[in-house]
Amino acid sequence: IEVICRQLETEVANKIPIGVTGQTKAGVTHEITSWHQGRIFEKGPAVRYIEVLERGRKKGARMPAPRHLWEWLKRTPKGQAYVESVRQKYYQGAKSRSAIGEARFLRQAAFLKARAIGKYGTKPVKAFSRTYRERKQWAINRIETAVNNFVRS
């Protein structure tokens, strides 16, 4: 059960996108509740973010604070590409790569992304439910094989 739970925990963590602080994947954990049962769940500071990822955001909801998106835009390749596209679209003549210029592009990109999230919402990732659906039969087969091997020996 421990091996199966550990592998499923890793699969769930790999399906979750990189969060603002990078603690999201570390927030996925498991516990063995009895000799024949275990569970995968979220824990720690990333619980709220994982819940938003799992359910998604509704269309027309309040937009998130743009400052919460700054780190994501700086850290992820997708975020960096978005900032660069904003820079090219809105600041074509601006060639300044100074810290002040980059901060301006980042603030503008964060505001536009936050506004789009508020207006259009986000799709749910469903990392937990999708992994459960995909790997349920695999886990049952692993347990049956282990029990049969134990009985034979």
Side-chain angles (χ1 to χ4, degrees), residues 15-116:
K15 288 180 183 174
I16 292 179
I18 298 172
V20 174
T21 61
Q23 296 176 348
T24 310
K25 291 182 185 225
V28 178
T29 188
H30 74 277
E31 77 176 352
I32 307 301
T33 54
S34 66
W35 67 270
H36 66 288
Q37 194 172 26
R39 71 184 189 117
I40 315 295
F41 62 100
E42 65 273 0
K43 178 178 162 185
V47 169
R48 244 176 97 205
Y49 179 62
I50 290 173
E51 288 173 1
V52 169
L53 283 175
E54 195 69 15
R55 288 191 314 258
R57 265 182 178 268
K58 288 185 181 178
K59 186 169 145 177
R62 275 182 53 201
M63 70 183 220
R67 64 182 156 71
H68 295 304
L69 299 173
W70 291 346
E71 285 300 314
W72 178 80
L73 289 170
K74 285 194 279 189
R75 290 179 59 157
T76 63
K78 193 174 179 181
Q80 292 167 358
Y82 184 75
V83 171
E84 187 59 30
S85 71
V86 166
R87 188 177 77 74
Q88 297 209 349
K89 183 173 182 179
Y90 296 103
Y91 302 99
Q92 292 172 349
K95 297 195 180 204
S96 169
R97 287 288 192 179
S98 68
I100 294 171
E102 291 301 313
R104 183 176 63 183
F105 304 141
L106 182 65
R107 279 196 312 272
Q108 180 70 28
F111 174 78
L112 291 172
K113 183 58 86 174
R115 187 173 67 181

